[in-house]
Amino acid sequence: MAIDSMFKQMKADGIDVIGFAAGEPDFNTPDEIKEAGIAAINNNNTRYTPARGTVELRQAVCDRMKADCGVEYAPNQVVVASGAKHAVYIALRAIVNPGDEVILPAPYWVSYIELIKMMGGVPVVVTATEEENFKLSADKLAAAITPKTKALILNNPSNPTGMMYSREELEVIADLCVRNDLYVIDDEIYYSLVYDNKKFVSLASLGEEIKERTILVNGVSKSYAMTGWRIGYACASEPIATVMANYISHSTGSPCAVSQKAALAALTGSQEKVETMRQAFEARRNAMVEGMNAIPGVSCIMPEGAFYVMMNLKDILGKTLHGVKVETADDFAALFLKKGLVAVVPGTGFGAPGFVRWSYATSMENILEGLRRLRDFLAE
């Protein structure tokens, strides 16, 4: 937050800073989706909907999950929420009691650990190293399970690392969760942003036993550039979906009616623009990874999905740059913004203290200029 505040102030002061912190596509919402939202307003689709979302939208979610992920749900197993983050919150609210342990692989998205704590749950952080491609191994998962373990949170592909689990890796995780009767909150919000012709595999598609224990979280924010529309959804067994819907009913109430109409258009319309964005992100990823690994002192591994790169600072930390000793990722990020005029996100909040996250949800021009500034910054 401190880095973000500094970045915004510098930008307001007219300083030529470049930001790589964005967790949202830089593309605009496609016109046909915006038109559906506008039509909803003009047609007075502006009243309360069912707490768990309109039937037509929940059916569209079912159809999209079957087409894209090969997993079948009925509308009464779908809950529409005010964003995927809200869906994760409601999922945890439905299954976690005070004192329950929730296994959280690190690096993790910053909100997961706080959401677990908000339930009175106990986060059990299991670190997956860069050498492990930032992915939770079967051995580490098995070692973290105790009689108090209630659930595992999985983010696939991952924010902040961009790494994706293969079918074989997911099968081992699924087997452990079934044998230990654990729930899995599986956040697949980046599932359509996968590169190198790799095939995304949904955990819930691996069999009925793991599907019954999985709360699949997804939404329209990333795939359709609809972050501000605030529509996410969860698919789960009918009893869990009903509990989640009850929580929504008594807390936020139904999601925005206008946004639901726009989301319906996104899920049922042509998916060509999703592919157009995916191809653009893949080209940007390639440029960022190649450029970053060509700069002495820093490195990164190739992410397989989402739109983030984790830059390793192991050769930087402990050294002095521009007269300042860089002890932490936070130190690096603050100094890089001040002297290099580039904003990145310290890995500290993601459970990855030796890294900073770059987002390539920005223009190729910004990426190339940001890398040039990085090279100059480190050369001083």
Side-chain angles (χ1 to χ4, degrees):
M1 292 298 293
I3 299 296
D4 185 59
S5 177
M6 192 188 311
F7 169 74
K8 289 175 179 175
Q9 185 60 55
M10 292 171 73
K11 202 168 185 64
D13 291 341
I15 300 172
D16 180 25
V17 290
I18 303 177
F20 292 91
E24 60 182 345
D26 58 316
F27 297 96
N28 293 323
T29 303
D31 288 343
E32 62 271 22
I33 298 174
K34 291 188 287 188
E35 290 299 327
I38 293 167
I41 295 171
N42 290 332
N43 294 333
N44 296 309
N45 297 129
T46 55
R47 294 176 171 84
Y48 294 134
T49 74
R52 64 172 74 198
T54 63
V55 174
E56 61 179 355
L57 179 54
R58 286 185 280 128
Q59 182 62 59
V61 168
C62 295
D63 295 342
R64 181 54 51 205
M65 289 298 94
K66 183 177 180 180
D68 291 356
C69 301
V71 58
E72 294 196 34
Y73 290 98
N76 67 350
Q77 295 177 287
V78 177
V79 179
V80 181
S82 300
K85 180 190 289 194
H86 186 216
V88 173
Y89 172 83
I90 297 299
L92 286 165
R93 179 60 74 191
I95 65 173
V96 173
N97 295 311
D100 285 348
E101 294 178 354
V102 179
I103 296 172
L104 180 61
Y108 47 75
W109 180 49
V110 64
S111 288
Y112 292 145
I113 194 166
E114 302 304 329
L115 292 172
I116 295 167
K117 293 175 184 176
M118 287 165 68
M119 308 304 144
V122 179
V124 177
V125 176
V126 181
T127 299
T129 65
E130 187 180 50
E131 290 72 27
E132 296 169 308
N133 289 321
F134 297 123
K135 291 191 279 189
L136 179 67
S137 69
D139 289 344
K140 285 187 174 180
L141 174 58
I145 296 171
T146 76
K148 292 185 177 181
T149 306
K150 176 63 73 71
L152 162 70
I153 292 183
L154 201 64
N155 183 202
N156 185 40
S158 163
N159 176 7
T161 69
M163 302 311 291
M164 182 175 71
Y165 289 85
S166 67
R167 174 179 291 275
E168 292 72 24
E169 290 165 335
L170 289 173
E171 285 173 343
V172 175
I173 289 172
D175 181 62
L176 279 168
C177 291
V178 169
R179 284 195 281 120
N180 289 278
D181 196 22
L182 305 182
Y183 290 110
V184 183
I185 298 175
D186 184 24
D187 185 348
E188 299 180 348
I189 190 71
Y190 294 97
Y191 83 101
S192 67
L193 301 178
V194 173
Y195 313 118
D196 303 318
N197 295 314
K198 293 189 176 178
K199 182 172 175 54
F200 171 79
V201 177
S202 175
L203 183 72
S205 71
L206 297 180
E208 280 302 312
E209 287 186 305
I210 188 61
K211 181 184 172 188
E212 279 295 303
R213 291 166 171 80
T214 298
I215 303 173
L216 190 159
V217 174
N218 215 311
V220 296
S221 295
K222 314 300 183 179
S223 300
Y224 304 96
M226 294 179 67
T227 52
W229 295 81
R230 306 314 301 135
I231 294 293
Y233 52 84
C235 305
S237 65
E238 195 278 332
I240 291 177
T242 297
V243 173
M244 292 175 67
N246 289 343
Y247 270 111
I248 289 174
S249 177
H250 292 297
S251 55
T252 56
S254 60
C256 172
V258 172
S259 294
Q260 288 188 67
K261 283 290 188 181
L264 176 66
L267 293 174
T268 59
S270 169
Q271 303 297 295
E272 287 182 10
K273 289 184 180 176
V274 177
E275 174 61 13
T276 299
M277 286 189 280
R278 191 203 66 79
Q279 290 179 11
F281 285 134
E282 183 165 8
R284 295 171 182 181
R285 177 205 64 161
N286 293 343
M288 181 173 281
V289 170
E290 180 181 357
M292 193 173 288
N293 282 323
I295 297 173
V298 294
S299 64
C300 66
I301 61 175
M302 180 71 82
E304 299 165 309
F307 37 68
Y308 308 106
V309 167
M310 291 291 274
M311 188 173 79
N312 193 321
L313 299 175
K314 68 177 185 292
D315 293 333
I316 301 293
L317 299 182
K319 295 184 176 179
T320 298
L321 289 172
H322 301 271
V324 177
K325 191 169 185 182
V326 179
E327 299 281 12
T328 66
D330 300 71
D331 294 341
F332 177 88
L335 188 63
F336 190 25
L337 179 55
K338 184 178 179 180
K339 299 293 186 180
L341 304 182
V342 174
V344 294
V345 184
T348 315
F350 302 119
F355 296 82
V356 291
R357 190 193 77 176
W358 294 60
S359 168
Y360 48 90
T362 186
S363 68
M364 186 70 82
E365 179 184 8
N366 279 348
I367 289 169
L368 297 177
E369 175 60 18
L371 291 171
R372 186 193 66 76
R373 293 184 185 188
L374 175 64
R375 182 183 293 275
D376 291 348
F377 172 77
L378 294 176
E380 288 289 327

